[in-house]
């Protein structure tokens, strides 16, 4: 296998503009599989835009047009779905026996466990693999084999509205108590969302993890075992319920019903004092003229020592057997120019060293430096666990109940832990 994949045969080799390598037919179930004529690859991708004008469909349309102009006989059919729907949509396709050739989604390990995916080594060139940020590439492994190919990355910082803070005479908080105090002062000034707490289904697992880390906890222990109902985590959510939500400091929408996109839109409208945000919020806020600052997430006793890192994943399904064409297309996707174009369009962190180096040196990307610096020190979701997709879905469904007026943080976290334990042991 390792020897075979260093050479390429067939139509793709003749027309590839990049001269990259990919898997031979029959290696890992891929290759031409006896096909002749045109091949159409189906890609399902997530939408990183906040409007029709900057939908990810715009990015993919341009990239596919460029690729197809250089690769006759290969067509790329891209469907873009919101983050509310994309993981579910792919699962439905897989369950129906109609898996796409590629899916750019939030988790991969459950599909890898079912032997549905190509490995990264099956597909992309050695130069592309070597260019991936090692921390992200390692996070794409199940039992030491990489199935998840990092596609986009981000870290989180606490964003605050400078204008609202100045009007209230506030400085950025460094501890939970300072955050609560600042939120109270903002509420007194009539701010709609003193602290926006999006625990709605869109990305509740992210907001949750950032808070757990700031309280000294997290989803798993050092051995990778889930500990969602640990005493540190229960204490964190008890504080959130009693000291933020219970005091009316999180706005008019119940946290369990507030999605990230809506929280970001409210921040851009000047209605939010503070919230956790990733790099794309900078552009959203700047477009609306909001003056903002960014600081590390406050912790129980000081700034959080660990930030949350997030990587989204490109996966490739073996069902249709187009491994060679998929590999050639992905080599193109991970070209430095394309990675930079995507990262800059959506203010995300690049997943390759070459693009990261270019971005770190470019004046136009100076605003992203705090996030780039946080990435090596961040903790990612336990995406290598085959149970993570199920656990993440359960967090999205339940976690808002933990801070509801009649909710019990201990009980909700215990129920999620039961789901996590069952999913992990079943895997």
């Amino acid at each position: 296998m390792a020897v075979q994949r260093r050479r390429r045969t067939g139509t793709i080799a003749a027309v590839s503009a990049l001269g990259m390598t990919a898997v031979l037919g029959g290696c890992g179930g891929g290759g031409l599989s006896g096909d002749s004529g045109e091949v159409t690859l189906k890609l399902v991708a997530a939408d990183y835009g906040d409007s029709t004008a900057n939908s990810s469909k715009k990015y993919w349309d341009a990239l596919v047009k460029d690729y197809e102009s250089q690769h006759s006989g290969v067509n790329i059919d891209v469907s873009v779905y919101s983050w509310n729907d994309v993981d579910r949509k792919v699962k439905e396709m897989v369950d129906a026996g109609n898996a796409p050739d590629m899916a750019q989604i939030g988790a991969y390990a459950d599909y890898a466990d079912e032997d549905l995916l190509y490995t990264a080594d099956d597909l992309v060139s050695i130069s592309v693999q070597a260019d991936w940020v090692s921390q992200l590439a390692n996070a794409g492994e199940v039992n030491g084999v990489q199935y998840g190919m990092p596609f986009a990355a981000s870290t989180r910082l606490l964003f605050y509205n400078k204008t609202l803070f100045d009007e209230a005479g506030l400085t950025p908080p460094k501890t939970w108590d300072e955050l609560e105090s600042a939120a109270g002062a903002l509420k007194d000034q009539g701010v709609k969302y003193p602290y926006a707490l999006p625990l709605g289904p869109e990305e509740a697992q992210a907001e949750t993890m950032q808070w757990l880390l700031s309280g000294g906890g997290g989803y798993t222990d050092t051995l990778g075992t889930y500990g969602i109902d640990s005493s540190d985590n229960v204490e964190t959510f008890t504080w959130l319920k009693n000291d933020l939500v219970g005091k009316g400091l999180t706005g008019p929408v119940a946290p369990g019903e507030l999605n990230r996109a809506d929280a970001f839109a409210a921040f851009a409208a000047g209605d939010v004092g503070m919230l956790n945000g990733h790099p794309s919020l900078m552009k959203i806020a700047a477009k609306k003229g909001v003056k903002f600052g960014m600081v590390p997430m406050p912790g129980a006793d000081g700034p959080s020592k660990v930030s949350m890192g997030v990587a989204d994943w490109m996966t490739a399904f073996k069902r249709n057997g187009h491994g060679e064409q998929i590999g050639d297309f992905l080599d193109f996707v991970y070209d430095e120019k394309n990675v930079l174009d995507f990262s800059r369009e959506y203010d995300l962190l690049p997943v390759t060293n070459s693009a990261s180096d270019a971005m770190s040196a470019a004046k136009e990307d100076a605003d992203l430096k705090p996030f780039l610096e946080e990435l090596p020190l961040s903790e990612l979701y336990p995406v290598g666990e085959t149970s993570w997709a199920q656990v993440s879905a359960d967090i999205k469904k339940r976690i808002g109940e933990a801070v509801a007026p009649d909710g019990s943080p201990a009980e909700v976290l215990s129920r999620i832990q039961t789901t996590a334990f069952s999913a992990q042991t079943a895997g």
Side-chain angles (χ1 to χ4, degrees):
M1 177 72 153
V3 174
Q4 286 179 313
R5 70 172 307 281
R6 283 166 172 77
R7 55 190 181 90
R8 183 192 296 274
T9 62
T11 303
I12 296 296
V15 298
S16 173
L18 299 177
M20 300 298 188
T21 58
V23 66
L24 287 175
C27 185
L32 297 175
S33 299
D35 291 341
S36 61
E38 294 198 354
V39 170
T40 297
L41 301 178
K42 175 70 176 177
L43 166 63
V44 175
D47 195 350
Y48 290 82
D50 61 347
S51 67
T52 303
N54 75 336
S55 168
S56 292
K57 186 177 187 304
K58 175 183 174 184
Y59 170 80
W60 285 112
D61 284 350
L63 184 143
V64 166
K65 182 179 180 181
D66 190 12
Y67 179 79
E68 291 179 347
S69 71
Q70 304 174 47
H71 299 76
S72 61
V74 180
N75 303 305
I76 313 296
D77 177 17
V78 183
S79 298
V80 176
Y81 296 94
S82 76
W83 274 109
N84 288 331
D85 302 320
V86 67
D87 289 302
R88 174 182 56 80
K89 184 66 176 178
V90 171
K91 186 177 187 304
E92 290 173 352
M93 295 172 70
V94 172
D95 289 347
N98 190 33
D101 295 286
M102 294 166 283
Q104 186 267 298
I105 48 180
Y108 62 85
D110 49 342
Y111 298 128
D113 188 55
E114 296 171 22
D115 195 29
L116 299 178
L117 301 179
Y118 287 109
T119 69
D121 190 58
D122 286 338
L123 299 170
V124 299
S125 66
I126 295 171
S127 59
V128 167
Q129 294 181 63
D131 197 25
W132 282 325
V133 175
S134 60
Q135 179 194 18
L136 303 178
N138 292 340
E141 295 181 353
V142 175
N143 296 324
V145 179
Q146 186 180 355
Y147 295 91
M149 293 167 278
F151 181 77
S154 69
T155 52
R156 298 291 193 269
L157 293 172
L158 182 75
F159 283 67
Y160 64 96
N161 184 309
K162 283 187 173 182
T163 301
L164 297 179
F165 264 60
D166 289 344
E167 290 173 352
L170 299 171
T171 56
K174 296 180 179 178
T175 66
W176 288 355
D177 287 345
E178 291 177 5
L179 188 149
E180 177 195 351
S181 178
L186 292 167
K187 181 182 179 182
D188 292 343
Q189 293 286 327
V191 176
K192 190 174 182 180
Y193 295 89
Y195 178 87
L197 184 66
L199 295 177
E202 182 187 6
E203 207 186 32
Q205 81 284 2
E207 183 73 13
T208 298
M209 183 171 174
Q210 184 65 75
W211 277 100
L212 297 184
L213 292 173
S214 74
Y219 287 137
T220 60
D221 61 23
T222 54
L223 299 177
T225 302
Y226 287 108
I228 295 171
D229 60 348
S230 70
S231 58
D232 283 338
N233 292 346
V234 170
E235 184 176 338
T236 294
F237 264 82
T238 299
W239 185 88
L240 278 174
K241 179 181 186 294
N242 295 337
D243 293 84
L244 275 191
V245 181
K247 295 180 179 179
L249 302 180
T250 54
V253 179
E257 298 175 7
L258 181 65
N259 281 324
R260 179 199 64 184
D262 296 327
F264 279 16
F267 186 82
D271 293 331
V272 174
M274 298 172 282
L275 84 170
N276 281 320
H278 54 60
S280 64
L281 181 55
M282 295 189 298
K283 182 177 290 186
I284 297 170
K287 282 183 178 178
K288 298 292 186 179
V290 173
K291 296 180 180 179
F292 60 88
M294 302 176 296
V295 294
M297 177 67 181
D301 303 311
S304 180
K305 295 180 175 62
V306 182
S307 177
M308 186 192 69
V310 175
D312 301 325
W313 305 96
M314 179 67 74
T315 61
F317 289 86
K318 297 191 291 186
R319 179 180 179 275
N320 298 320
H322 297 310
E324 186 168 355
Q325 294 94 333
I326 293 170
D328 190 80
F329 175 66
L330 291 179
D331 280 342
F332 186 82
V333 168
Y334 286 105
D335 177 73
E336 180 182 327
K337 175 186 179 300
N338 293 326
V339 173
L340 279 173
D341 285 348
F342 180 85
S343 300
R344 285 169 171 160
E345 176 66 29
Y346 300 107
D347 281 323
L348 292 168
L349 305 184
V351 297
T352 62
N353 293 309
S354 58
S356 294
D357 291 343
M359 191 170 274
S360 295
K363 291 183 179 179
E364 65 181 290
D365 301 311
D367 288 345
L368 282 172
K369 276 196 171 182
F371 296 96
L372 287 166
E373 291 169 355
E374 286 280 320
L375 187 59
L377 306 174
S378 64
E379 182 172 322
L380 277 70
Y381 299 134
V383 289
E385 295 290 337
T386 58
S387 55
W388 173 241
Q390 183 178 345
V391 175
S392 177
D394 200 48
I395 293 168
K396 292 179 181 181
K397 178 182 177 181
R398 297 180 185 275
I399 197 64
E401 301 169 9
V403 296
D406 58 348
S408 165
E411 290 180 7
V412 171
L413 292 175
S414 178
R415 289 200 294 271
I416 297 173
Q417 171 64 18
T418 297
T419 296
F421 178 77
S422 297
Q424 191 172 46
T425 52

